[in-house]
Amino acid sequence: MSETPGIINRYNEDEARKFSGDLAQLLYVSRLLGQDENLVLSGGGNTSVKVIEPDLYGEPEERLYVKGSGGDLATIGESGFTPMRLLPTGRLAELAQLDDTEMLNALVSHKVRADAPTPSVEAVLHAAIPGKFVLHTHADAPVTISNTSKGAALIREIYGERALIVPYVMPGFKLARKVIDLWRTEASGPTDIMVLMNHGLFTWGETAKEAYDLMIEAVRLAEEYLRAHNAFEWPLTNTDPLVDRVIPQAALRKKISEAAGAPMLLTYYPSGKGFGLAQHDNVADLATRGLLTPDHVIRTKRIPMVGRDVDAYVEHYKQYFNEQAKRDGRDLQMIDPAPRIVIDPELGMLSAGRTMQEAELSGKIAVHTMTAIMRAEQLDRWQPLPAADIFDVEYWDLEQAKLKRQAPYKPFAGEVAVVTGAASGIGQACVERLLELGAAVVGFDVDLAVYSDRFVDRPDYVGIHCDITDADLLRESLRYAVWVFGGIDMVVLNAGVFPPSTPVAELSLDAWRRTMNVNLDANVTLLKESYPLLKLAPRGGRVAVVGSKNVPAPGPGAAAYSASKAALNQLARVTALEWGKDGIRINSVHPNQVFDTGLWNDDLIAQRAANYGLSVDDYKRSNVLNTEVTSRDVADAVCELLGTRFSKTTGAQIPVDGGNERVI
Ligand code: ZN
């Protein structure tokens, strides 16, 4: 087993010099913190700097630049920090009591720039801490140690009198208030680290470097303590039982989506730790004691689902909600009771989300939590905050407001589409449109361009280099798609070949068979292989077939192409008849003369135009509507057929050809 690397100090003098001014220095160290997932996970942690700037009248004003709520430290820009009037912001902590909503209102009114983001709820605390640069992280190692039965004593042992130890209170006003009180009574000369139990660390300094170095030092000390007590390394073996996970994973996704009331992606999280913990004798107890830090609750729920009994999980969540809501006394609306993390002895760890970003973030948090659990158990005993404290954050007005501020989900959010021939033309346009509409997309193509650069950083797109006429490869590719996204809701049968024009009398049977192979046979295999998955689509499976005008109106010289597309058309109609009982819809579009596809090039278009005695422009518009048809037009029609507006339509054929006299 290789040794787990410890925290590293990423500060680089040459780099740092490129960031001139206090805010830029803060930006630099904030990004350094954000790069290290052992310090903060996306959206967690916050940082600030206190500066003096001239106000509108040229008078010097003390200001606090503090991270905006929900921003990501790893990628933060200067506009991600909210400038605030320092004095009224810090003074809020002098109030004996302040409702969090009132606090937020006051914070927003102390912004210096109206369009700056809503400041972090920890802004009051940042203002109150007497350091120029203030950094706050949820660093794994010290927070893990604080989540043990002897937490406070161990933290004291590690940091001695350097640390101000703050027992857990809700973030926001209560925390700021508590820190100020403790500071007055307990902070001593050497205090340069603040440990918030079950939550995180604060460090500060006169320079950004000083504050950053202290943060790294504090984490290093906690890691060394864990190492010295044989509690740093992952102690379990991680064996992947290599089960055939396709149907179990898709079935589980359906159940989870039903519990959530909307389609969810369910991704297999490639961390052996999931298997390791899932096979631990005591997994049901260990994994469900609670969270590393309460703000994770918004992403992972309080506890993962151990095993696959979604109904029991939902029941348990409802019970937890009812008990806690009664204690709370407010009139609360229960959020969806579906699990976000699954720990299953056979399937390992899976994470669910309405988008891939959500699912990946939940999964990441869960891996850090598992690490914390096993470290805490080796050191002492994993003892995170009780359910009541977690509930308070889960149903905290400010956290709920954060969720409400999120843009609404897109129409295909949580759904998965497979597109064949995805690397160019109509297939590529379908990929783009489906992504715009919020679907996760798996693109198949024999062309390597299927690994498109444009999608390289997108977690919601997977390109698979795949010859769809190879049935084994196709099956393997679908398996991979389910592994990554959890199932298949939509299939776009698009890949096709258009052989050179040949009269029937001169047809080679080989060329004929090749056309049939791609345009027809491969689609039979894809339909067959997708069927069990489409049946498990939360909102019902859908198939869109890219046919051709040649189906209703064939042309001379295109026997193989026309026959293959006509056979595909019949295949789609029969399939629509057979699969209606499973709620699966199959509809076709029949495009014509879509010139921005791989079937055409400028020379060919010019040659054809000349054949008809037309200019290229007139030739492109030679249809009833006198309009040019693009790949995007076809993709729009395909996505409409896949969407809810056509939820009562199956077996339909829609021309996308600008109107063709022979078809009409
Ligand atoms: Zn925090």
Side-chain angles (χ1 to χ4, degrees):
M1 197 189 296
S2 63
E3 197 173 82
T4 308
I7 188 92
I8 47 170
N9 189 320
R10 295 164 192 260
Y11 197 93
N12 177 304
E13 297 283 356
D14 292 337
E15 269 305 302
R17 260 192 290 279
K18 295 179 193 158
F19 293 80
S20 73
D22 290 334
L23 182 56
Q25 280 291 304
L26 177 69
L27 179 87
Y28 174 62
V29 294
S30 298
R31 288 183 184 164
L32 295 187
L33 296 178
Q35 282 165 31
D36 197 328
E37 290 185 353
N38 295 311
L39 292 173
V40 291
L41 287 160
S42 168
N46 39 60
T47 59
S48 70
V49 63
K50 300 176 184 77
V51 298
I52 296 175
E53 288 178 337
D55 67 9
L56 269 183
Y57 311 98
E59 305 281 340
E61 184 176 58
E62 285 185 89
R63 289 180 177 167
L64 172 77
Y65 279 81
V66 65
K67 192 192 91 164
S69 177
D72 184 350
L73 285 176
T75 54
I76 197 163
E78 290 199 356
S79 62
F81 293 98
T82 306
M84 321 264 305
R85 288 177 196 89
L86 177 63
L87 294 181
T89 303
R91 208 180 151 194
L92 288 172
E94 291 173 20
L95 291 168
Q97 257 190 341
L98 184 64
D99 180 68
D100 281 321
T101 310
E102 276 176 344
M103 177 190 74
L104 199 64
N105 184 54
L107 287 180
V108 169
S109 70
H110 296 326
K111 292 199 300 186
V112 176
R113 226 181 52 231
D115 64 349
T118 302
S120 157
V121 295
E122 314 288 19
V124 180
L125 186 47
H126 278 267
I129 290 176
K132 183 178 170 75
F133 290 87
V134 177
L135 309 179
H136 168 49
T137 70
H138 300 162
D140 283 354
V143 179
T144 299
I145 295 166
S146 80
N147 276 309
T148 57
S149 54
K150 295 197 263 316
L154 301 183
I155 292 288
R156 180 62 72 205
E157 192 185 331
I158 296 167
Y159 298 115
E161 292 310 304
R162 290 179 73 175
L164 184 70
I165 301 175
V166 185
Y168 179 79
V169 275
M170 280 270 286
F173 178 76
K174 287 195 197 84
L175 176 58
R177 188 62 263 177
K178 177 107 187 168
V179 168
I180 307 273
D181 288 345
L182 277 177
W183 198 284
R184 282 177 188 149
T185 54
E186 286 190 20
S188 60
T191 300
D192 61 359
I193 294 167
M194 187 160 77
V195 181
L196 310 180
M197 296 294 286
N198 319 94
H199 177 168
L201 286 183
F202 269 90
T203 58
W204 52 91
E206 278 315 292
T207 64
K209 181 174 189 306
E210 205 179 304
Y212 177 79
D213 285 345
L214 263 172
M215 179 63 74
I216 301 304
E217 159 86 354
V219 175
R220 194 183 53 76
L221 288 171
E223 289 184 350
E224 279 177 4
Y225 187 85
L226 287 168
R227 267 193 220 281
H229 291 79
N230 286 324
F232 193 68
E233 299 298 330
W234 181 251
L236 307 173
T237 45
N238 312 314
T239 47
D240 183 337
L242 288 175
V243 288
D244 186 356
R245 59 175 50 251
V246 176
I247 296 301
Q249 189 172 337
L252 185 55
R253 167 178 176 253
K254 183 168 195 237
K255 289 285 279 179
I256 291 175
S257 299
E258 281 165 2
M264 301 276 270
L265 303 173
L266 181 65
T267 188
Y268 165 69
Y269 206 86
S271 160
K273 287 184 177 174
F275 281 112
L277 187 60
Q279 276 143 21
H280 192 287
D281 290 343
N282 203 16
V283 56
D285 170 35
L286 286 179
T288 60
R289 279 187 214 158
L291 294 167
L292 185 54
T293 173
D295 74 333
H296 289 168
V297 70
I298 304 302
R299 303 290 172 194
T300 62
K301 287 234 157 66
R302 191 179 75 83
I303 57 174
M305 177 169 76
V306 177
R308 291 181 228 168
D309 189 344
V310 179
D311 293 337
Y313 185 91
V314 166
E315 239 357 272
H316 187 271
Y317 187 86
K318 285 181 181 162
Q319 210 181 329
Y320 153 79
F321 174 82
N322 290 334
E323 274 168 24
Q324 296 297 334
K326 204 164 141 201
R327 173 189 60 83
D328 186 285
R330 284 174 299 162
D331 182 20
L332 293 168
Q333 192 77 37
M334 189 181 83
I335 54 180
D336 83 72
R340 295 299 187 273
I341 302 295
V342 180
I343 298 175
D344 182 81
E346 269 194 346
L347 301 179
M349 200 257 275
L350 301 141
S351 65
R354 290 278 279 139
T355 64
M356 240 350 230
Q357 281 89 347
E358 281 183 15
E360 285 193 338
L361 180 53
S362 305
K364 241 183 230 177
I365 290 173
V367 172
H368 283 263
T369 311
M370 290 183 202
T371 310
I373 291 172
M374 293 318 297
R375 284 176 177 170
E377 282 290 296
Q378 290 173 92
L379 184 66
D380 175 31
R381 183 179 193 278
W382 170 241
Q383 189 179 301
L385 287 171
D389 288 308
I390 304 299
F391 182 87
D392 288 345
V393 172
E394 190 173 9
Y395 284 88
W396 189 20
D397 295 342
L398 302 188
E399 285 294 349
Q400 292 297 309
K402 233 191 241 177
L403 291 179
K404 281 187 191 119
R405 275 203 302 277
Q406 277 181 358
Y409 289 109
K410 294 174 179 171
F412 289 153
E415 297 197 288
V416 185
V418 168
V419 179
T420 64
S424 64
I426 292 170
Q428 188 185 39
C430 286
V431 170
E432 281 167 9
R433 185 66 188 138
L434 284 160
L435 287 171
E436 280 171 20
L437 291 169
V441 180
V442 185
F444 290 172
D445 209 300
V446 277
D447 186 341
L448 282 169
V450 75
Y451 307 118
S452 174
D453 289 348
R454 278 172 310 153
F455 304 135
V456 84
D457 286 329
R458 295 194 66 135
D460 51 357
Y461 176 77
V462 170
I464 299 181
H465 183 227
C466 167
D467 176 354
I468 59 167
T469 62
D470 180 335
D472 288 338
L473 205 55
L474 193 60
R475 216 167 285 132
E476 207 43 56
S477 303
L478 286 174
R479 193 167 294 166
Y480 182 73
V482 174
W483 191 64
V484 177
F485 294 132
I488 291 171
D489 304 86
M490 298 175 270
V491 179
V492 180
L493 305 181
N494 165 69
V497 289
F498 191 90
S501 180
T502 318
V504 173
E506 292 162 28
L507 266 178
S508 103
L509 217 49
D510 273 356
W512 169 271
R513 286 195 186 115
R514 220 168 17 250
T515 308
M516 287 292 169
N517 222 351
V518 178
N519 294 5
L520 182 62
D521 299 1
N523 288 319
V524 176
T525 310
L526 183 51
L527 284 172
K528 275 178 64 177
E529 293 297 328
S530 310
Y531 178 51
L533 294 165
L534 290 169
K535 276 202 284 190
L536 291 170
R539 293 202 301 179
R542 287 93 80 199
V543 179
V545 178
V546 178
S548 167
K549 179 238 28 171
N550 283 31
V551 173
Y561 182 77
S562 303
S564 68
K565 288 288 189 182
L568 176 62
N569 196 58
Q570 280 313 75
L571 173 68
R573 294 172 71 194
V574 173
T575 314
L577 287 171
E578 292 181 3
W579 293 0
K581 67 176 190 321
D582 303 305
I584 303 171
R585 303 187 292 109
I586 304 181
N587 295 292
S588 301
V589 293
H590 291 318
N592 189 33
Q593 295 192 318
V594 184
F595 296 109
D596 60 345
T597 68
L599 301 184
W600 294 90
N601 59 52
D602 288 348
D603 289 345
L604 189 61
I605 296 169
Q607 189 196 324
R608 289 292 174 88
N611 283 353
Y612 289 95
L614 293 170
S615 73
V616 165
D617 206 40
D618 284 341
Y619 175 64
K620 284 185 173 176
R621 295 164 180 272
S622 56
N623 53 48
V624 171
L625 293 171
N626 190 29
T627 187
E628 196 178 330
V629 181
T630 64
S631 291
R632 176 64 186 215
D633 296 323
V634 182
D636 281 345
V638 163
C639 289
E640 283 299 326
L641 285 171
L642 296 172
T644 52
R645 287 192 189 93
F646 282 88
S647 63
K648 308 294 165 69
T649 301
T650 192
Q653 303 173 51
I654 307 210
V656 187
D657 58 4
N660 183 291
E661 283 172 12
R662 291 176 56 211
V663 174
I664 293 171

PDB file of all heavy atoms in Angstrom, residues 549 552-553 592-593 621-626 655 657-664:
ATOM      1  N   LYS A 549     -35.577  11.691 -46.288  1.00  0.00           N
ATOM      2  CA  LYS A 549     -36.635  11.960 -47.270  1.00  0.00           C
ATOM      3  C   LYS A 549     -36.756  10.798 -48.242  1.00  0.00           C
ATOM      4  O   LYS A 549     -37.810  10.541 -48.830  1.00  0.00           O
ATOM      5  CB  LYS A 549     -36.302  13.265 -48.025  1.00  0.00           C
ATOM      6  CG  LYS A 549     -37.281  13.649 -49.058  1.00  0.00           C
ATOM      7  CD  LYS A 549     -36.805  13.825 -50.497  1.00  0.00           C
ATOM      8  CE  LYS A 549     -35.653  13.096 -51.027  1.00  0.00           C
ATOM      9  NZ  LYS A 549     -35.375  13.172 -52.452  1.00  0.00           N
ATOM     10  N   PRO A 552     -39.985   8.268 -47.886  1.00  0.00           N
ATOM     11  CA  PRO A 552     -41.212   8.469 -48.676  1.00  0.00           C
ATOM     12  C   PRO A 552     -40.934   8.784 -50.147  1.00  0.00           C
ATOM     13  O   PRO A 552     -41.804   8.558 -50.991  1.00  0.00           O
ATOM     14  CB  PRO A 552     -41.880   9.668 -47.996  1.00  0.00           C
ATOM     15  CG  PRO A 552     -40.767  10.411 -47.320  1.00  0.00           C
ATOM     16  CD  PRO A 552     -39.749   9.378 -46.937  1.00  0.00           C
ATOM     17  N   ALA A 553     -39.748   9.325 -50.482  1.00  0.00           N
ATOM     18  CA  ALA A 553     -39.482   9.743 -51.860  1.00  0.00           C
ATOM     19  C   ALA A 553     -38.057   9.388 -52.259  1.00  0.00           C
ATOM     20  O   ALA A 553     -37.156  10.210 -52.193  1.00  0.00           O
ATOM     21  CB  ALA A 553     -39.701  11.261 -51.986  1.00  0.00           C
ATOM     22  N   ASN A 592     -33.831  16.233 -45.294  1.00  0.00           N
ATOM     23  CA  ASN A 592     -33.395  16.199 -46.688  1.00  0.00           C
ATOM     24  C   ASN A 592     -32.472  17.372 -46.955  1.00  0.00           C
ATOM     25  O   ASN A 592     -32.701  18.468 -46.443  1.00  0.00           O
ATOM     26  CB  ASN A 592     -34.607  16.287 -47.623  1.00  0.00           C
ATOM     27  CG  ASN A 592     -34.197  16.038 -49.076  1.00  0.00           C
ATOM     28  OD1 ASN A 592     -33.286  15.259 -49.346  1.00  0.00           O
ATOM     29  ND2 ASN A 592     -34.867  16.707 -50.001  1.00  0.00           N
ATOM     30  N   GLN A 593     -31.448  17.105 -47.759  1.00  0.00           N
ATOM     31  CA  GLN A 593     -30.524  18.152 -48.187  1.00  0.00           C
ATOM     32  C   GLN A 593     -30.033  19.001 -47.014  1.00  0.00           C
ATOM     33  O   GLN A 593     -30.175  20.217 -46.999  1.00  0.00           O
ATOM     34  CB  GLN A 593     -31.183  19.023 -49.260  1.00  0.00           C
ATOM     35  CG  GLN A 593     -31.451  18.200 -50.527  1.00  0.00           C
ATOM     36  CD  GLN A 593     -31.829  19.062 -51.709  1.00  0.00           C
ATOM     37  OE1 GLN A 593     -32.604  19.998 -51.569  1.00  0.00           O
ATOM     38  NE2 GLN A 593     -31.302  18.745 -52.873  1.00  0.00           N
ATOM     39  N   ARG A 621     -31.738  25.898 -51.411  1.00  0.00           N
ATOM     40  CA  ARG A 621     -33.088  26.280 -50.976  1.00  0.00           C
ATOM     41  C   ARG A 621     -34.168  25.691 -51.882  1.00  0.00           C
ATOM     42  O   ARG A 621     -35.287  26.200 -51.931  1.00  0.00           O
ATOM     43  CB  ARG A 621     -33.232  27.807 -51.024  1.00  0.00           C
ATOM     44  CG  ARG A 621     -32.339  28.532 -50.058  1.00  0.00           C
ATOM     45  CD  ARG A 621     -32.254  30.014 -50.441  1.00  0.00           C
ATOM     46  NE  ARG A 621     -31.395  30.728 -49.532  1.00  0.00           N
ATOM     47  CZ  ARG A 621     -31.812  31.285 -48.389  1.00  0.00           C
ATOM     48  NH1 ARG A 621     -33.070  31.212 -48.051  1.00  0.00           N
ATOM     49  NH2 ARG A 621     -30.964  31.899 -47.599  1.00  0.00           N
ATOM     50  N   SER A 622     -33.798  24.643 -52.617  1.00  0.00           N
ATOM     51  CA  SER A 622     -34.773  24.119 -53.577  1.00  0.00           C
ATOM     52  C   SER A 622     -35.799  23.248 -52.869  1.00  0.00           C
ATOM     53  O   SER A 622     -35.791  22.022 -52.961  1.00  0.00           O
ATOM     54  CB  SER A 622     -34.051  23.342 -54.682  1.00  0.00           C
ATOM     55  OG  SER A 622     -33.257  22.325 -54.104  1.00  0.00           O
ATOM     56  N   ASN A 623     -36.665  23.886 -52.113  1.00  0.00           N
ATOM     57  CA  ASN A 623     -37.767  23.189 -51.448  1.00  0.00           C
ATOM     58  C   ASN A 623     -38.958  24.121 -51.366  1.00  0.00           C
ATOM     59  O   ASN A 623     -38.878  25.294 -51.755  1.00  0.00           O
ATOM     60  CB  ASN A 623     -37.322  22.708 -50.064  1.00  0.00           C
ATOM     61  CG  ASN A 623     -36.730  23.828 -49.226  1.00  0.00           C
ATOM     62  OD1 ASN A 623     -37.313  24.905 -49.133  1.00  0.00           O
ATOM     63  ND2 ASN A 623     -35.568  23.578 -48.638  1.00  0.00           N
ATOM     64  N   VAL A 624     -40.072  23.616 -50.873  1.00  0.00           N
ATOM     65  CA  VAL A 624     -41.331  24.373 -50.906  1.00  0.00           C
ATOM     66  C   VAL A 624     -41.220  25.687 -50.136  1.00  0.00           C
ATOM     67  O   VAL A 624     -41.722  26.726 -50.556  1.00  0.00           O
ATOM     68  CB  VAL A 624     -42.479  23.500 -50.341  1.00  0.00           C
ATOM     69  CG1 VAL A 624     -43.757  24.315 -50.154  1.00  0.00           C
ATOM     70  CG2 VAL A 624     -42.736  22.311 -51.271  1.00  0.00           C
ATOM     71  N   LEU A 625     -40.531  25.647 -49.005  1.00  0.00           N
ATOM     72  CA  LEU A 625     -40.416  26.858 -48.179  1.00  0.00           C
ATOM     73  C   LEU A 625     -39.274  27.764 -48.627  1.00  0.00           C
ATOM     74  O   LEU A 625     -39.050  28.818 -48.052  1.00  0.00           O
ATOM     75  CB  LEU A 625     -40.226  26.473 -46.705  1.00  0.00           C
ATOM     76  CG  LEU A 625     -41.420  25.805 -46.035  1.00  0.00           C
ATOM     77  CD1 LEU A 625     -41.028  25.272 -44.649  1.00  0.00           C
ATOM     78  CD2 LEU A 625     -42.592  26.767 -45.895  1.00  0.00           C
ATOM     79  N   ASN A 626     -38.526  27.299 -49.648  1.00  0.00           N
ATOM     80  CA  ASN A 626     -37.382  28.063 -50.150  1.00  0.00           C
ATOM     81  C   ASN A 626     -36.424  28.430 -49.006  1.00  0.00           C
ATOM     82  O   ASN A 626     -36.011  29.567 -48.844  1.00  0.00           O
ATOM     83  CB  ASN A 626     -37.889  29.333 -50.871  1.00  0.00           C
ATOM     84  CG  ASN A 626     -36.752  30.030 -51.619  1.00  0.00           C
ATOM     85  OD1 ASN A 626     -35.801  29.372 -52.059  1.00  0.00           O
ATOM     86  ND2 ASN A 626     -36.828  31.344 -51.727  1.00  0.00           N
ATOM     87  N   PRO A 655     -41.192  15.137 -41.448  1.00  0.00           N
ATOM     88  CA  PRO A 655     -40.209  15.628 -42.413  1.00  0.00           C
ATOM     89  C   PRO A 655     -39.522  16.888 -41.886  1.00  0.00           C
ATOM     90  O   PRO A 655     -40.174  17.727 -41.273  1.00  0.00           O
ATOM     91  CB  PRO A 655     -41.041  15.974 -43.655  1.00  0.00           C
ATOM     92  CG  PRO A 655     -42.453  15.632 -43.329  1.00  0.00           C
ATOM     93  CD  PRO A 655     -42.574  15.416 -41.863  1.00  0.00           C
ATOM     94  N   ASP A 657     -37.437  19.046 -44.048  1.00  0.00           N
ATOM     95  CA  ASP A 657     -36.882  19.139 -45.403  1.00  0.00           C
ATOM     96  C   ASP A 657     -37.260  20.428 -46.119  1.00  0.00           C
ATOM     97  O   ASP A 657     -37.052  20.554 -47.326  1.00  0.00           O
ATOM     98  CB  ASP A 657     -37.356  17.922 -46.220  1.00  0.00           C
ATOM     99  CG  ASP A 657     -38.876  17.820 -46.280  1.00  0.00           C
ATOM    100  OD1 ASP A 657     -39.551  18.741 -45.760  1.00  0.00           O
ATOM    101  OD2 ASP A 657     -39.390  16.831 -46.835  1.00  0.00           O
ATOM    102  N   GLY A 658     -37.819  21.368 -45.401  1.00  0.00           N
ATOM    103  CA  GLY A 658     -38.249  22.614 -46.048  1.00  0.00           C
ATOM    104  C   GLY A 658     -39.485  22.417 -46.921  1.00  0.00           C
ATOM    105  O   GLY A 658     -39.896  23.323 -47.633  1.00  0.00           O
ATOM    106  N   GLY A 659     -40.076  21.227 -46.853  1.00  0.00           N
ATOM    107  CA  GLY A 659     -41.247  20.935 -47.687  1.00  0.00           C
ATOM    108  C   GLY A 659     -40.811  20.359 -49.020  1.00  0.00           C
ATOM    109  O   GLY A 659     -40.106  21.012 -49.788  1.00  0.00           O
ATOM    110  N   ASN A 660     -41.193  19.114 -49.279  1.00  0.00           N
ATOM    111  CA  ASN A 660     -40.789  18.459 -50.518  1.00  0.00           C
ATOM    112  C   ASN A 660     -42.049  18.072 -51.284  1.00  0.00           C
ATOM    113  O   ASN A 660     -42.923  17.394 -50.737  1.00  0.00           O
ATOM    114  CB  ASN A 660     -39.945  17.228 -50.171  1.00  0.00           C
ATOM    115  CG  ASN A 660     -39.416  16.531 -51.412  1.00  0.00           C
ATOM    116  OD1 ASN A 660     -40.179  15.944 -52.173  1.00  0.00           O
ATOM    117  ND2 ASN A 660     -38.112  16.617 -51.612  1.00  0.00           N
ATOM    118  N   GLU A 661     -42.145  18.515 -52.520  1.00  0.00           N
ATOM    119  CA  GLU A 661     -43.375  18.290 -53.300  1.00  0.00           C
ATOM    120  C   GLU A 661     -43.721  16.816 -53.411  1.00  0.00           C
ATOM    121  O   GLU A 661     -44.874  16.424 -53.358  1.00  0.00           O
ATOM    122  CB  GLU A 661     -43.220  18.896 -54.696  1.00  0.00           C
ATOM    123  CG  GLU A 661     -43.373  20.400 -54.677  1.00  0.00           C
ATOM    124  CD  GLU A 661     -43.039  21.026 -56.015  1.00  0.00           C
ATOM    125  OE1 GLU A 661     -42.908  20.290 -57.010  1.00  0.00           O
ATOM    126  OE2 GLU A 661     -42.897  22.260 -56.038  1.00  0.00           O
ATOM    127  N   ARG A 662     -42.700  15.967 -53.539  1.00  0.00           N
ATOM    128  CA  ARG A 662     -42.964  14.528 -53.685  1.00  0.00           C
ATOM    129  C   ARG A 662     -43.435  13.918 -52.377  1.00  0.00           C
ATOM    130  O   ARG A 662     -44.144  12.922 -52.364  1.00  0.00           O
ATOM    131  CB  ARG A 662     -41.708  13.812 -54.178  1.00  0.00           C
ATOM    132  CG  ARG A 662     -41.363  14.187 -55.623  1.00  0.00           C
ATOM    133  CD  ARG A 662     -40.075  13.535 -56.044  1.00  0.00           C
ATOM    134  NE  ARG A 662     -40.107  12.092 -55.890  1.00  0.00           N
ATOM    135  CZ  ARG A 662     -39.051  11.341 -55.607  1.00  0.00           C
ATOM    136  NH1 ARG A 662     -37.862  11.915 -55.450  1.00  0.00           N
ATOM    137  NH2 ARG A 662     -39.167  10.033 -55.491  1.00  0.00           N
ATOM    138  N   VAL A 663     -43.017  14.519 -51.250  1.00  0.00           N
ATOM    139  CA  VAL A 663     -43.434  13.979 -49.946  1.00  0.00           C
ATOM    140  C   VAL A 663     -44.819  14.488 -49.590  1.00  0.00           C
ATOM    141  O   VAL A 663     -45.681  13.737 -49.126  1.00  0.00           O
ATOM    142  CB  VAL A 663     -42.418  14.361 -48.851  1.00  0.00           C
ATOM    143  CG1 VAL A 663     -42.919  13.928 -47.476  1.00  0.00           C
ATOM    144  CG2 VAL A 663     -41.060  13.730 -49.145  1.00  0.00           C
ATOM    145  N   ILE A 664     -45.022  15.800 -49.822  1.00  0.00           N
ATOM    146  CA  ILE A 664     -46.320  16.385 -49.477  1.00  0.00           C
ATOM    147  C   ILE A 664     -47.413  15.744 -50.338  1.00  0.00           C
ATOM    148  O   ILE A 664     -48.488  15.397 -49.854  1.00  0.00           O
ATOM    149  CB  ILE A 664     -46.313  17.919 -49.681  1.00  0.00           C
ATOM    150  CG1 ILE A 664     -45.361  18.586 -48.664  1.00  0.00           C
ATOM    151  CG2 ILE A 664     -47.714  18.502 -49.515  1.00  0.00           C
ATOM    152  CD1 ILE A 664     -45.114  20.048 -48.912  1.00  0.00           C
TER     153      ILE A 664
END
